[in-house]
Amino acid sequence: MSDPSDLALTAARSALAELELGQTKSAAWYGLWALERNPTCGLAWAVLSRIVLEVTQDPLATLATQRALRLGLPDPERAEVERFHRIDLWTRGLLAHDSGQPLLPVHAFEHPEHFRETNRLATWLANETGAWADDDGAARALTRLAASLADAWVVPDDVDQPLRDPAPWKPTAAFLRWSQADPAPKARSTSTPAAEEKVVVLSDHWMEQSIMSLGAQSSFDLALERAQEWAQLRPDKVRPKAALVRVLHAQRAVAERDQAVEALLGLGTRDLNELEEARLALGELELWGPQVRLLDQMNRVAPGHPVILTNRGVALLQLGREEEGAQDLEAALVADPDHGPALANLGLQRMKDDEYVAARRLLERAVVVAPDQAQVRVYLAACKNNQDDRAGAMVELEKALELEPSHAQARQLLEELRARGPVAKA
């Protein structure tokens, strides 16, 4: 009988051969077959990582490559895997290049001496691993994700989080037949790969950092040029268009900015993470009308979500559409009665409407569900003060300053209340 480690390595190399031919499903099958024979086969982990990365960009792929490098990789594949990993880390902003450029020729990644770890790397890896409890949890999730993409294992439909659930997954009938037939090894191509001199790699992270840096230096023309380039390179993505809106806003190019906003709103993406990127940009620039339209899109993707309703309610209030804004905040609290931001913002609106009893009830609940939010305590202090509860207001302001000593509004209001003299005892 052949050694399981040798069988696994041969299968992992077969997976690479299939990957070169664009046969992603077959490559994944070989990789999974290899791990069944030897769970410590570093090359098999590297192959599955590359498949998941190319298809989904999921951080699990990065963690799996880290695992592959720890387990060890054979020559000549080690240098190849290290290069792909270098590209992945750099595009995520976890490695920096000496040039500082957001676009690099692909051959630049053959020179590790020009890259250095950023101070984000260790924290990022720890956070992403911790999200799966530990390294083994992340590895299990990665194999399941690869298996589901390749129709190799049956995804259970009776659990809420199948990637996390400890119960094992079963192989599909097709994968079981294939694996039991002792799949024949595949040889990698011996032809010389096409020249890559003109191939470039873009890091969205470093492009965004570059634009922000140019804007901070008031180099708006260069920032605009780079934002336009990014938008052309990523025509279907939100972040480049959001960056373009920011730069045009900083230049006070209102007509061009509004045109860029329309392009942003017209993308039609249903990815809530991307839509949130756009919402943050519009909110940062106080473009409340476009933000409401964007939140309408988000609400169509996830109807009745309390976070979306709260954000839309706040934007509507900023536009002076107080009745509609309050209705959204009330709807958010129907969906989640303990949603802190909805409680705080509706409480603030009730204060503006001189409805202090209702406001105090909402704000007191907001403090209970979010006791570490200094601003909410300031709102509650203002409400109590307007109800002639100066002592209670001062207590809230003191607690706010304990949480956030530099909170200027809390300090000023507390000084004003203390200046009125001693508080009468009840």
Side-chain angles (χ1 to χ4, degrees):
M1 180 181 291
S2 300
D3 181 85
S5 297
D6 292 339
L7 285 173
L9 183 56
T10 298
R13 284 177 167 153
S14 298
L16 282 176
E18 291 289 75
L19 207 53
E20 284 179 345
L21 297 173
Q23 301 298 317
T24 304
K25 178 177 178 178
S26 180
W29 282 23
Y30 271 110
L32 293 165
W33 193 88
L35 288 180
E36 287 179 359
R37 270 87 197 142
N38 178 18
T40 64
C41 179
L43 189 58
W45 285 109
V47 171
L48 293 182
S49 164
R50 184 167 161 186
I51 291 169
V52 169
L53 183 66
E54 290 180 353
V55 176
T56 71
Q57 295 296 309
D58 196 292
L60 280 168
T62 309
L63 301 180
T65 309
Q66 290 281 121
R67 186 183 186 91
L69 292 169
R70 286 196 302 271
L71 290 169
L73 293 161
D75 291 324
E77 291 87 0
R78 183 178 67 252
E80 180 181 352
V81 172
E82 288 176 343
R83 186 180 78 139
F84 273 99
H85 192 45
R86 206 170 292 125
I87 292 173
D88 178 30
L89 293 177
W90 177 76
T91 57
R92 293 187 190 278
L94 304 175
L95 290 183
H97 188 259
D98 289 345
S99 70
Q101 292 300 311
L103 283 161
L104 292 178
V106 72
H107 59 76
F109 296 92
E110 297 171 1
H111 304 282
E113 67 274 12
H114 294 302
F115 292 85
R116 67 185 185 281
E117 295 181 0
T118 67
N119 56 13
R120 299 176 61 237
L121 177 60
T123 302
W124 187 92
L125 289 172
N127 289 342
E128 292 297 333
T129 302
W132 298 96
D134 54 27
D135 186 60
D136 289 337
R140 181 175 63 242
L142 183 281
T143 54
R144 289 178 173 185
L145 184 52
S148 65
L149 291 170
D151 296 322
W153 296 350
V154 178
V155 181
D157 57 7
D158 56 348
V159 294
D160 292 333
Q161 296 181 309
L163 292 182
R164 296 179 183 274
D165 192 273
W169 288 17
K170 296 179 180 179
T172 61
F175 179 73
L176 189 60
R177 286 194 301 270
W178 176 87
S179 61
Q180 290 179 342
D182 194 15
K186 299 291 183 76
R188 299 188 70 179
S189 172
T190 57
S191 60
T192 304
E196 294 182 324
E197 285 80 3
K198 295 183 179 180
V199 178
V200 294
V201 182
L202 166 65
S203 168
D204 291 317
H205 173 87
W206 291 117
M207 182 66 89
E208 190 167 46
Q209 292 297 308
S210 172
I211 293 167
M212 290 172 60
S213 177
L214 289 168
Q217 299 167 31
S218 298
S219 300
F220 294 121
D221 289 342
L222 289 174
L224 178 59
E225 183 180 324
R226 184 141 283 179
Q228 290 171 330
E229 179 185 25
W230 192 18
Q232 290 170 356
L233 291 167
R234 295 277 196 254
D236 300 323
K237 294 295 183 181
V238 162
R239 283 173 63 192
K241 286 184 170 52
L244 184 57
V245 170
R246 285 187 176 101
V247 174
L248 290 168
H249 184 83
Q251 286 187 306
R252 300 181 181 178
V254 176
E256 292 85 350
R257 181 205 66 192
D258 290 347
Q259 186 177 5
V261 167
E262 291 302 317
L264 179 63
L265 295 173
L267 280 176
T269 180
R270 294 181 63 81
D271 185 322
L272 284 175
N273 290 325
E274 289 225 340
L275 290 168
E276 178 64 7
E277 291 269 0
R279 186 196 70 80
L280 289 171
L282 296 174
E284 172 191 319
L285 304 179
E286 298 184 356
L287 298 174
W288 305 115
Q291 193 184 61
V292 168
R293 291 169 56 194
L294 185 72
L295 284 158
D296 288 341
Q297 292 182 27
M298 297 176 77
N299 194 50
R300 287 192 288 272
V301 176
H305 195 291
V307 174
I308 295 171
L309 290 172
T310 299
N311 288 331
R312 190 172 66 179
V314 171
L316 287 165
L317 292 176
Q318 292 289 342
L319 289 169
R321 294 161 62 178
E322 295 177 355
E323 185 175 346
E324 294 172 82
Q327 287 174 352
D328 266 352
L329 294 172
E330 290 167 350
L333 291 173
V334 170
D336 179 6
D338 288 336
H339 188 64
L343 288 164
N345 282 285
L346 186 57
L348 183 60
Q349 183 58 37
R350 292 290 181 252
M351 264 205 298
K352 292 178 179 177
D353 295 336
D354 295 331
E355 298 176 14
Y356 290 104
V357 173
R360 182 164 178 166
R361 183 173 62 252
L362 289 161
L363 293 169
E364 285 178 337
R365 185 60 190 161
V367 166
V368 170
V369 300
D372 59 343
Q373 296 296 311
Q375 187 61 51
V376 179
R377 291 187 179 275
V378 174
Y379 292 159
L380 180 55
C383 184
K384 288 182 174 183
N385 186 50
N386 278 284
Q387 290 182 302
D388 296 323
D389 182 5
R390 184 158 63 103
M394 292 171 67
V395 168
E396 296 300 337
L397 293 168
E398 287 165 354
K399 290 179 179 177
L401 288 169
E402 287 176 11
L403 292 166
E404 193 176 326
S406 61
H407 199 297
Q409 185 184 11
R411 187 167 300 282
Q412 180 181 350
L413 185 53
L414 182 59
E415 289 173 356
E416 290 175 0
L417 295 182
R418 283 174 173 169
R420 297 181 192 175
V423 177
K425 293 183 179 180

